[in-house]
Amino acid sequence: MSTLAEPGPAQTRQSDVKVKAYGAFAADQPLEPLDIDRRAAGPRDVEIEIAFCGVCHSDLHTVRSEWEGTLYPCVPGHEIVGHVTAVGSAAGKFKVGDTVGVGCLVDSCRTCSACEEGLEQYCTGGFTGTYNGSTQDPPGHTLGGYSQRITVDEDFVLRISHPPEQLAAVAPLLCAGITTYSPLRHWNAGSGKKVGIVGIGGLGHMGVKLAHAMGAHTVAFTTSESKREDALRLGADEVIVSRDAEEMAAHAETFDFIIDTIAASHDLDTFTQLLKRDGTLCLVGAPEHPHPSPGVGGLIFRRRSIAGSLIGGLAETQEMLDFCAENEIVSDVEIIPAQAIEEAYERMVRSDVKYRFVIDIASLGGADQAS
Amino acid sequence: MSTLAEPGPAQTRQSDVKVKAYGAFAADQPLEPLDIDRRAAGPRDVEIEIAFCGVCHSDLHTVRSEWEGTLYPCVPGHEIVGHVTAVGSAAGKFKVGDTVGVGCLVDSCRTCSACEEGLEQYCTGGFTGTYNGSTQDPPGHTLGGYSQRITVDEDFVLRISHPPEQLAAVAPLLCAGITTYSPLRHWNAGSGKKVGIVGIGGLGHMGVKLAHAMGAHTVAFTTSESKREDALRLGADEVIVSRDAEEMAAHAETFDFIIDTIAASHDLDTFTQLLKRDGTLCLVGAPEHPHPSPGVGGLIFRRRSIAGSLIGGLAETQEMLDFCAENEIVSDVEIIPAQAIEEAYERMVRSDVKYRFVIDIASLGGADQAS
């Protein structure tokens, strides 16, 4: 927060730049083109021309105010990749032309124990979200990556070392990737471990790729038989159709760790029962309606845990991007123009995407066309 | 199991010994005096004359078949202390006259990974409970400590080194003690940690004493203001009346670990919210009706866990007994004759006991009076 204030009061700092974006003016209105202001780079800022922005379920929940508290106009998008166009006088980490990314957060308090440990996502003061967060920039809340440009403190910018032609497919790593990478690392997924990924969607397909690359025996859980082949292609060693009670029972008490990416209310016990003693079921999606209350006996009799995990900190997100570059991991994406966003949301709700939509920001038109 | 079989078929082994006990013949009948058979010591067995037996909630649930599956006649009791009266020819750990204890289990498979790691309570084959477990002894299921004698494989017998006059107060360590000791150790309670104990009853009052002795900053949670002074006396550094929302809010995000001993359905979120990032709420009681479904956001936004824990293995139970002897820790008990057991159950259900009933087994009468 202090860094954002450094340029001084809004009226005296360098002029804001008007850029094209795509967003909504109210919860019940569709997304549409709009012009927004981006601050000129302050001393520690990086100005980024956005090339692609991934489409996350959170975008839809926020823009439609399904989680309440959405500020309008709302410009979603926190899976941002692009190139540096300017750097502040005191910013030394990036240079013009660098390929960079911005994920779910653009600032945090920087002083709490979480921030000091590089776990900014757990900032006790509350991190500043890439959209719908608090800022001194106009219009008083942050605006996300469905836009041509963004200006971000260099400490919240990530370096991307994938080949240029993969840039669109890198975008989802900034949220879907780190959301599964962080718990896999925290709970020591890797060689010798049997790891489950529940739900083969935007998050889950990344979880399968990452767990496999970490060397874990990776098992994909899906409700649909039709995803079996695809899950194997993504890197799963085994695929379990979770509606098949017999198939599930054959794996009872064999998993070290399971990530559950399903954000809809569902029975957790079917998965905790698959954990070994001391195993953990980690939830990364918050359902709109509560899950059925998990059975306590299943926890007590095998000292199992149900935990949660939230995205990742900056250092770990960089580690994840480097890991993915080294292991040639990207997201499976379908590139769309911004104008197709409402249709993409509808398809995303139906899980009709393999496995992440990414907006080609060129579809917003030239920056010089901003009115 | 194999050890129990060693003496050979029932018809050829040494005569069983008839002893007095207290138990029930059906779920809807009160406990009453009865005579039961105890096997003579096999080669690896220890015969124990029982001095005291603690009264656990599980006794009541089982004898009334509230968990279903109770076999009758049912003789409860798994907080057993007494003295060795005979040892088998191949048993070398104990000698006649030793003061010993028996807890919740009297056998396990001994071959699964849990047993090999000394975590017999998590035996994947299912451990043999001290009562209502499977056995070749008459009447085909195990009979517990509300009785004058018990014969147990020496591997499932614990050594007691407390002063003799404390023997009655040692009994509850065998279940209430180890049930709280094991998770405190597993989750590294100790100096520098802030640890909560929810519910100041049989389990909770031991949790407070143990966490305090381990050096943790120990906080007792109780719903009743009347227990505040007592909780401080037990060793709590602070006491929180959990119905006081303001008092609870003042401790938000400050706990490393909380043990929840409440077996009745209640809101878990009020306690998870008190955990720091990466903190764990450990449940040691299974409610008859499910808890309200815990909020997932509270787990995700601080990477918290809800876990369960079950009693302890033999090695850890011995460690606990030794720790308690060194630190002069016993249970707070009210000694009763067996004939008062039904009244004691009623009072236990009302939490009207500070903090554990213990049956003086001498009340059953001389062994020579068995009819």
Side-chain angles (χ1 to χ4, degrees):
Chain A
M1 307 290 277
S2 58
T3 307
L4 289 175
E6 274 178 27
Q11 61 271 28
T12 64
R13 69 185 184 191
Q14 278 191 270
S15 300
D16 295 328
V17 179
K18 211 167 269 296
V19 306
K20 288 179 175 295
Y22 225 77
F25 287 93
D28 59 356
Q29 287 180 23
L31 277 75
E32 59 182 282
L34 72 160
D35 295 333
I36 62 170
D37 293 312
R38 290 299 191 189
R39 71 173 186 263
R44 294 183 50 78
D45 280 341
V46 173
E47 274 183 24
I48 301 163
E49 185 171 77
I50 301 175
F52 298 98
C53 184
V55 177
C56 176
H57 275 265
S58 302
D59 299 355
L60 180 156
H61 290 306
T62 303
V63 80
R64 295 183 179 171
S65 204
E66 291 173 356
W67 288 337
E68 299 182 359
T70 300
L71 303 165
Y72 294 92
C74 173
V75 175
H78 57 204
E79 295 180 341
I80 297 168
V81 293
H83 300 93
V84 174
T85 53
V87 295
S89 56
K93 295 183 183 172
F94 300 96
K95 62 179 196 305
V96 172
D98 281 354
T99 306
V100 295
V102 176
C104 301
L105 44 167
V106 291
D107 208 350
S108 67
C109 84
R110 305 181 187 223
T111 58
C112 73
S113 64
C115 287
E116 285 186 349
E117 291 176 46
L119 297 166
E120 298 88 353
Q121 77 273 34
Y122 299 119
C123 173
T124 56
F127 64 78
T128 303
T130 301
Y131 55 83
N132 209 47
S134 177
T135 180
Q136 296 189 9
D137 291 355
H141 60 271
T142 55
L143 302 171
Y146 296 6
S147 59
Q148 294 175 316
R149 284 191 184 186
I150 191 166
T151 307
V152 178
D153 183 291
E154 67 170 355
D155 288 343
F156 288 78
V157 177
L158 290 312
R159 183 173 304 282
I160 291 170
S161 52
H162 284 76
E165 66 275 14
Q166 295 185 335
L167 193 53
V170 168
L173 302 182
L174 276 309
C175 174
I178 188 62
T179 297
T180 50
Y181 182 91
S182 182
L184 287 169
R185 283 291 189 219
H186 185 71
W187 277 276
N188 298 311
S191 180
K193 299 291 181 72
K194 182 171 174 180
V195 171
I197 308 291
V198 182
I200 308 306
L203 297 181
H205 94 289
M206 288 309 312
V208 169
K209 291 185 183 202
L210 292 166
H212 173 75
M214 289 176 189
H217 182 84
T218 303
V219 180
F221 293 92
T222 174
T223 52
S224 91
E225 179 64 41
S226 66
K227 284 194 179 168
R228 190 183 288 274
E229 284 309 307
D230 220 29
L232 293 170
R233 178 186 61 77
L234 292 168
D237 295 290
E238 295 181 73
V239 182
I240 300 175
V241 175
S242 55
R243 286 176 178 157
D244 184 331
E246 204 170 316
E247 204 174 348
M248 292 287 276
H251 290 263
E253 301 198 32
T254 61
F255 281 83
D256 295 282
F257 183 60
I258 298 176
I259 296 182
D260 187 338
T261 74
I262 307 293
S265 174
H266 64 285
D267 177 16
L268 302 181
D269 293 348
T270 52
F271 298 107
T272 50
Q273 285 159 9
L274 302 189
L275 293 168
K276 288 180 187 170
R277 168 173 46 84
D278 292 319
T280 295
L281 174 69
C282 178
L283 311 177
V284 294
E288 192 182 350
H289 305 290
H291 298 302
S293 188
V296 170
L299 302 182
I300 289 177
F301 279 88
R302 288 293 179 266
R303 198 163 58 188
R304 296 165 175 138
S305 296
I306 296 175
S309 180
L310 181 70
I311 44 178
L314 272 294
E316 194 172 51
T317 304
Q318 187 64 62
E319 177 189 305
M320 177 274 304
L321 285 167
D322 296 345
F323 177 87
C324 287
E326 280 161 30
N327 290 277
E328 301 182 356
I329 293 172
V330 292
S331 175
D332 285 20
V333 300
E334 179 175 336
I335 298 174
I336 58 167
Q339 293 76 13
I341 189 64
E342 289 287 343
E343 183 194 340
Y345 282 169
E346 296 315 312
R347 286 182 52 200
M348 186 169 66
V349 167
R350 296 197 306 267
S351 300
D352 176 24
V353 53
K354 287 184 175 176
Y355 281 92
R356 202 69 152 177
F357 290 111
V358 172
I359 300 172
D360 181 352
I361 296 300
S363 64
L364 292 179
D368 54 350
Q369 294 167 21
S371 61
Chain B
M1 308 294 276
S2 58
T3 307
L4 289 175
E6 273 177 28
Q11 61 272 26
T12 64
R13 69 184 183 191
Q14 277 191 271
S15 299
D16 294 328
V17 180
K18 212 168 270 297
V19 306
K20 289 181 177 295
Y22 225 77
F25 288 92
D28 59 357
Q29 287 182 24
L31 278 77
E32 58 183 282
L34 71 161
D35 295 332
I36 61 170
D37 294 312
R38 290 298 191 190
R39 71 173 187 262
R44 295 183 50 79
D45 280 341
V46 174
E47 273 183 23
I48 302 163
E49 186 172 75
I50 301 175
F52 298 98
C53 184
V55 178
C56 176
H57 275 266
S58 302
D59 299 355
L60 181 156
H61 290 308
T62 303
V63 81
R64 295 185 179 170
S65 203
E66 293 173 355
W67 288 336
E68 299 183 359
T70 299
L71 302 165
Y72 293 92
C74 173
V75 175
H78 57 204
E79 294 181 343
I80 298 167
V81 293
H83 301 93
V84 174
T85 53
V87 295
S89 56
K93 295 183 184 173
F94 301 95
K95 62 180 194 306
V96 171
D98 282 354
T99 306
V100 295
V102 176
C104 301
L105 44 167
V106 291
D107 208 350
S108 67
C109 85
R110 305 182 188 221
T111 57
C112 72
S113 63
C115 287
E116 285 185 350
E117 291 176 47
L119 297 166
E120 298 87 354
Q121 77 274 33
Y122 300 119
C123 173
T124 56
F127 64 78
T128 304
T130 300
Y131 54 84
N132 208 48
S134 177
T135 179
Q136 297 189 9
D137 291 354
H141 60 271
T142 55
L143 301 171
Y146 296 6
S147 60
Q148 295 175 315
R149 284 190 184 187
I150 191 166
T151 308
V152 178
D153 183 291
E154 67 169 354
D155 289 342
F156 288 78
V157 177
L158 290 311
R159 185 173 302 282
I160 291 170
S161 52
H162 284 76
E165 66 275 14
Q166 295 185 333
L167 193 54
V170 168
L173 302 182
L174 276 309
C175 174
I178 187 62
T179 297
T180 49
Y181 182 91
S182 182
L184 287 169
R185 284 292 189 218
H186 185 71
W187 277 276
N188 299 310
S191 179
K193 297 291 179 73
K194 183 172 175 181
V195 171
I197 308 291
V198 182
I200 309 305
L203 297 181
H205 94 289
M206 288 310 312
V208 169
K209 292 184 183 204
L210 292 166
H212 173 74
M214 289 176 188
H217 181 84
T218 303
V219 181
F221 293 91
T222 174
T223 52
S224 91
E225 179 64 39
S226 66
K227 285 193 179 168
R228 190 185 290 273
E229 284 309 308
D230 219 31
L232 293 170
R233 178 187 60 78
L234 293 168
D237 295 289
E238 295 181 74
V239 181
I240 299 176
V241 175
S242 56
R243 286 177 177 156
D244 184 331
E246 204 170 314
E247 204 174 346
M248 292 286 277
H251 289 264
E253 301 199 30
T254 62
F255 281 83
D256 294 283
F257 183 59
I258 298 175
I259 296 183
D260 187 339
T261 73
I262 307 292
S265 175
H266 64 286
D267 178 16
L268 302 180
D269 294 347
T270 53
F271 298 107
T272 50
Q273 285 159 10
L274 302 189
L275 294 168
K276 288 180 186 169
R277 168 172 47 84
D278 293 319
T280 296
L281 174 70
C282 179
L283 311 177
V284 294
E288 193 182 349
H289 305 289
H291 297 301
S293 188
V296 170
L299 302 181
I300 289 177
F301 279 88
R302 289 294 180 265
R303 199 162 58 188
R304 295 166 174 137
S305 296
I306 297 174
S309 181
L310 180 70
I311 44 177
L314 272 295
E316 194 172 50
T317 305
Q318 187 62 63
E319 177 190 305
M320 178 274 304
L321 286 167
D322 296 343
F323 177 86
C324 287
E326 281 162 31
N327 290 276
E328 301 181 358
I329 293 172
V330 291
S331 176
D332 286 19
V333 301
E334 179 174 337
I335 299 174
I336 58 167
Q339 294 76 12
I341 188 65
E342 290 287 342
E343 183 194 341
Y345 282 170
E346 296 315 313
R347 287 182 51 200
M348 186 168 68
V349 166
R350 296 197 305 267
S351 300
D352 176 24
V353 52
K354 288 184 175 177
Y355 283 92
R356 202 68 150 178
F357 290 111
V358 172
I359 299 172
D360 180 352
I361 296 300
S363 63
L364 292 180
D368 55 350
Q369 294 166 23
S371 62

